[in-house]
Amino acid sequence: MKIILRRVTKTPLDFEVKSDEITFKGYLEYHGGKLILLKAKLSGFISKPCDTCAEEFKMPVNEDVSFFISDGIFEDDNSIDLDVVESFNGEVEIEELLHSEIQLIKSDYHSCDECKHSN
Ligand SMILES: [Zn+2]
């Protein structure tokens, strides 16, 4: 799902994409300047190796995600308190954003239930 950034207005633009067992559902809304606000919920399961026993397990995910997308280079003026993702071609691919969120979660430290209970 490709979004042309300059077409995003103050009226929230809903989106919903799925990847494997994860649903990424939320909206985009024009914030001001070059910035577009993204607010979404990430829910479902992510399969990843346990960081304790290396056994693959399914981790339940239920996370609120919010960040800004900048249409072009973003010059930080310290007035915003969210992460900013820059787009250099005037558009964003929601699937790509979902993919990087999944990578981010996978890179955190997580143990499977069995390891959690034995601690
Ligand atoms: Zn484990």
Side-chain angles (χ1 to χ4, degrees), residues 7 11 17 35 61-62 64 81 93 110 113 116-117:
R7 294 210 186 130
T11 308
V17 294
L35 297 178
V61 174
N62 194 11
D64 290 313
D81 54 2
E93 189 89 50
H110 298 286
D113 280 344
K116 264 189 218 157
H117 292 315

Side-chain angles (χ1 to χ4, degrees), residues 2-18:
K2 202 174 269 184
I3 308 279
I4 311 289
L5 293 174
R6 63 185 155 76
R7 294 210 186 130
V8 179
T9 66
K10 291 268 186 197
T11 308
L13 175 69
D14 293 329
F15 65 82
E16 180 172 351
V17 294
K18 283 177 193 218

Side-chain angles (χ1 to χ4, degrees), residues 50-55 57 111-116:
C50 166
D51 283 307
T52 309
C53 69
E55 204 67 51
F57 77 110
S111 296
C112 71
D113 280 344
E114 244 166 85
C115 290
K116 264 189 218 157

Side-chain angles (χ1 to χ4, degrees), residues 37-53:
L37 175 68
L38 178 147
K39 267 186 184 286
K41 193 158 199 102
L42 210 56
S43 56
F45 294 92
I46 287 177
S47 294
K48 65 160 277 172
C50 166
D51 283 307
T52 309
C53 69

